[in-house]
């Protein structure tokens, strides 16, 4: 049953990805990107990675979708005409995908109890984390203590990206509100006439 759910989610992911590639309307692309993130979150849940699923749903399906919709409000919904570069991109994608699949051949099977992670790291976290960190929750101790620098780096990246987007949106809004020279000239000439009178 679990394999059927995984295959169904992967099929939906592939269908949504193809739809994103084929569509020209950027609003529809943003909506499909949010759906893709939510499907990915569902896939992470089936893999027992609930914390990653929450992150994907919040960042990929929530914040990213809102930021992209805000960007569309400033740029418009129509994409530029496509350029015929797929002949170059397709071999690159196929080679990269093949290399990634080849790299997974050396990985242990999913849920394998003899995998290195289940022989060294996990037993130590389960047995020693309450005494070493003083935290009752193992997941919290891993994210906030053992992987504290990694978590801090992730939060810094997300915070910096959010600040950068807010700055860009603020600059674009100020440019749109700034009067054009052609619109400013009548007001200046009217003021000059009033001063002359």
């Amino acid at each position: 049953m679990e394999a059927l759910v995984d295959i169904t989610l992967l099929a939906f992911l592939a269908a949504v990805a193809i739809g994103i590639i084929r569509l020209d309307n950027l609003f529809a692309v943003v909506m499909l990107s949010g759906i893709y993130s939510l499907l990915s979150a569902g896939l992470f849940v089936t893999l027992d990675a609930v914390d990653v699923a929450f992150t994907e749903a919040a960042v990929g399906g929530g914040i990213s979708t809102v930021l992209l919709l805000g960007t569309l409000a400033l740029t418009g919904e129509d994409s530029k005409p496509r350029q015929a570069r797929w002949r170059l991109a397709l071999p690159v994608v196929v080679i990269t995908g093949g290399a990634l699949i080849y790299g997974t051949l050396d990985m242990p099977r999913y849920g394998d109890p003899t995998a290195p992670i289940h022989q060294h790291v996990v037993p130590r976290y389960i047995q020693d984390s309450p005494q070493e960190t003083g935290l009752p929750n193992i997941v919290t101790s891993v994210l906030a203590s053992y992987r504290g620098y990694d978590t801090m780096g992730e939060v810094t990246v997300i915070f910096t990206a959010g600040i950068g987007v807010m700055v860009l949106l603020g600059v674009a809004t100020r440019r749109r509100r700034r009067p054009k020279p052609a619109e400013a000239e009548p007001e200046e000439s009217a003021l000059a006439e009033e001063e002359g009178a």
Side-chain angles (χ1 to χ4, degrees):
M1 184 64 185
E2 186 176 348
L4 179 61
V5 173
D6 292 342
I7 293 173
T8 303
L9 288 174
L10 288 174
F12 277 121
L13 284 172
V16 172
I18 293 173
I20 291 174
I21 294 173
R22 300 292 301 173
L23 286 175
D24 291 327
N25 186 281
L26 298 180
F27 179 79
V29 170
V30 171
M31 292 293 103
L32 286 180
S33 298
I35 294 173
Y36 189 91
S37 295
L38 294 178
L39 290 172
S40 299
L43 188 61
F44 289 139
V45 170
T46 63
L47 296 174
D48 296 330
V50 183
D51 55 335
V52 182
F54 275 122
T55 304
E56 179 63 33
V59 177
I63 297 175
S64 298
T65 302
V66 172
L67 293 177
L68 289 174
L69 288 176
T71 304
L72 289 183
L74 298 174
T75 61
E77 300 179 3
D78 297 323
S79 63
K80 292 182 179 178
R82 298 180 181 179
Q83 299 179 354
R85 295 180 178 176
W86 64 270
R87 290 182 177 84
L88 176 62
L90 183 60
V92 173
V93 171
V94 171
I95 293 173
T96 305
L100 292 174
I101 293 174
Y102 178 76
T104 62
L105 298 179
D106 290 335
M107 295 177 62
R109 295 183 59 187
Y110 176 71
D112 185 2
T114 62
I117 189 173
H118 298 303
Q119 298 295 324
H120 304 289
V121 180
V122 173
R124 183 190 170 185
Y125 287 164
I126 295 175
Q127 295 173 3
D128 301 334
S129 64
Q131 292 77 22
E132 291 181 346
T133 64
L135 298 172
N137 188 289
I138 297 176
V139 176
T140 303
S141 67
V142 172
L143 293 177
S145 180
Y146 294 112
R147 292 180 49 195
Y149 288 114
D150 182 61
T151 303
M152 184 178 68
E154 293 174 350
V155 173
T156 303
V157 169
I158 295 173
F159 178 76
T160 306
I163 294 296
V165 170
M166 292 176 65
V167 170
L168 291 175
L169 292 176
V171 170
T173 303
R174 284 197 297 271
R175 286 181 179 176
R176 292 179 63 183
R177 290 178 179 175
R178 186 179 301 170
K180 297 179 180 179
E183 297 175 352
E185 287 178 357
E187 296 180 359
E188 293 177 357
S189 60
L191 290 174
E193 291 177 359
E194 291 178 359
E195 291 176 355

